[in-house]
Amino acid sequence: MNSISSEEKARLMKLATYASTSVALTLIICKMVAWLMTDSVSLMATLIDSCLDALASIINLVAVRHALAPADKQHRFGHGKAEALAGLGQATFITGSALFLLLEAISHFWNPQPISEMPVGVAIMVVSIVATYGLMMFQQHVINKTDSTAIKADRLHYKTDLLVNGSVIIALLLAYYGWAGFDPLFALLIAGYILYSAWEIVQESLGLLMDREMPDEDRQKIKAIVRGHPKALGMHDLRTRTSGMTIFIQLHLELDDSLTLMQAHTISDEVEALLLAEYPGAEIIIHEDPASLVEQHPEFAE
C-alpha cells in the first residue's frame, strides 16, 4: 500500500463513492430506456444489477463517511468496521436481486420473447461498458492508495457489471439473429455470476469483522523491520488486524536484560517509528520483554 496521509486517503475514498453513485444513476436511466424499447430479459438483468449498484454505492457513501469519523469515547478503536458492515449489506441486496433474476430468466427461458430495437440495446451496453471501465480504473487507483474494503466491494460490483454488459451484447445479437432463448440463457448465467460475487464480498467483510490477520507478506515484513533494529534481540506474539483504513499491530519486543526502563522505552519508540514509516497511521502497541524471559519460555519464540 502506498504511504499517503489519512486526509488524502479520506479524500480519495469520498471521491470514489461520489463517482460510483453518479455512474450508477446515469446507467440506470440509460438501461431503463433500452429495456423498455427491447423487452430483453438480459437487459432487465443488467438494469436490476445497476439499480443495486446505485443502492450499494449510496450505502458505501454513508458507510465510508461514518468509517472516516475519528475515534470517540464510545468507539476507542474508530469506526472502520462500518465498511465491513456495508459490504454485508451490499451482499444481501445483490443476493436478493440475483434470486429474482433467476426466477425471471427461468420464466422467459420456457417462454422466449422476440427482441426488438436490438441496435439501441447494443449501443446502450457499449456506453455502459465505457463508463464502467473508466470508473473501475479510478476505483483501482483509490484501492491502491487506501486498501479500502468498501471501495473493493464497490469495484467488484462494477467488475460484474462490465462482464454482464459484455454478455448482454452477445445475448442481444444471438437472440435477435438466432434463437430467442439465448436472451434468458445469458440472464441465468449472469445471475449465477452475481451470486458468486456476493459470496466474495461476504468473505471479505466477515474477515474484517472477525479481525482476520494481515496477509503473511505483511507479517513477514513487520518481523523483518522489528528484527532489523540493531538493539532488538527478537520478537514474538505478533498480532495484527485492520479496521477500515487503520492497521493495528501488537507485538512483544525482546531486549537485553541489562537495559534501563528508559533505554528499553527509547528502543521501542524507534521500532515503532520504523513500522510507522512502512504503515503510516497504524496503531502500534509494543511490549518490552527481557530476552532471558524468552529463553525460559521457548513457546514465546516465533
Side-chain angles (χ1 to χ4, degrees):
M1 191 196 314
N2 291 329
S3 300
I4 62 174
S5 67
S6 297
E7 292 76 13
E8 179 64 10
K9 288 182 180 181
R11 187 185 71 84
L12 286 171
M13 289 171 64
K14 288 178 181 178
L15 281 177
T17 59
Y18 296 150
S20 64
T21 303
S22 300
V23 169
L25 292 175
T26 301
L27 293 183
I28 285 173
I29 296 172
C30 294
K31 291 178 180 180
M32 183 172 291
V33 171
W35 171 57
L36 291 174
M37 294 182 68
T38 62
D39 196 31
S40 163
V41 69
S42 59
L43 242 172
M44 182 184 68
T46 188
L47 171 60
I48 292 173
D49 192 39
S50 289
C51 288
L52 287 163
D53 281 342
L55 182 58
S57 294
I58 292 171
I59 292 173
N60 254 7
L61 194 154
V62 175
V64 165
R65 291 179 69 87
H66 188 68
L68 293 173
D72 53 39
K73 291 183 179 180
Q74 284 73 41
H75 306 89
R76 296 287 187 176
F77 294 97
H79 303 79
K81 288 189 176 180
E83 287 193 59
L85 291 173
L88 289 178
Q90 292 173 35
T92 301
F93 286 119
I94 292 171
T95 300
S97 70
L99 294 176
F100 171 75
L101 180 56
L102 280 172
L103 293 175
E104 286 295 310
I106 291 172
S107 173
H108 281 70
F109 187 78
W110 295 115
N111 298 286
Q113 301 296 319
I115 302 298
S116 58
E117 301 294 337
M118 181 273 295
V120 175
V122 171
I124 294 296
M125 288 300 98
V126 171
V127 171
S128 298
I129 287 173
V130 173
T132 302
Y133 185 72
L135 174 63
M136 285 177 58
M137 290 184 66
F138 177 63
Q139 287 177 322
Q140 187 59 55
H141 169 72
V142 174
I143 291 168
N144 292 339
K145 296 288 186 180
T146 67
D147 200 36
S148 166
T149 300
I151 306 302
K152 285 181 182 177
D154 213 28
R155 188 180 186 276
L156 187 57
H157 296 166
Y158 289 99
K159 179 183 177 183
T160 303
D161 248 8
L162 199 65
L163 297 173
V164 166
N165 294 336
S167 67
V168 168
I169 292 177
I170 298 173
L172 289 173
L173 292 171
L174 290 174
Y176 188 77
Y177 291 110
W179 175 49
F182 280 119
D183 184 41
L185 178 61
F186 272 73
L188 284 170
L189 296 175
I190 292 168
Y193 187 81
I194 292 174
L195 285 172
Y196 174 76
S197 298
W199 174 239
E200 285 189 313
I201 295 173
V202 168
Q203 288 181 306
E204 176 78 16
S205 299
L206 287 179
L208 288 176
L209 290 173
M210 298 299 292
D211 291 331
R212 181 182 57 203
E213 283 281 354
M214 292 173 65
D216 287 340
E217 179 183 352
D218 284 301
R219 288 177 54 84
Q220 294 304 320
K221 185 184 295 184
I222 291 169
K223 292 178 183 179
I225 291 172
V226 174
R227 290 168 177 159
H229 191 285
K231 296 294 181 66
L233 301 181
M235 62 162 289
H236 62 274
D237 201 15
L238 172 63
R239 300 181 183 184
T240 64
R241 66 184 180 93
T242 58
S243 179
M245 295 191 303
T246 306
I247 294 172
F248 293 87
I249 301 172
Q250 300 178 27
L251 60 93
H252 286 238
L253 179 63
E254 301 160 18
L255 299 172
D256 190 283
D257 291 30
S258 63
L259 294 175
T260 65
L261 179 60
M262 183 59 71
Q263 289 172 324
H265 179 73
T266 299
I267 295 170
S268 178
D269 283 348
E270 291 172 354
V271 170
E272 181 177 348
L274 292 172
L275 290 171
L276 284 172
E278 184 65 32
Y279 300 98
E283 294 282 343
I284 302 172
I285 298 177
I286 299 177
H287 179 81
E288 299 91 4
D289 278 340
S292 62
L293 180 66
V294 180
E295 294 175 1
Q296 298 170 20
H297 299 276
E299 68 272 14
F300 287 165
E302 288 194 357

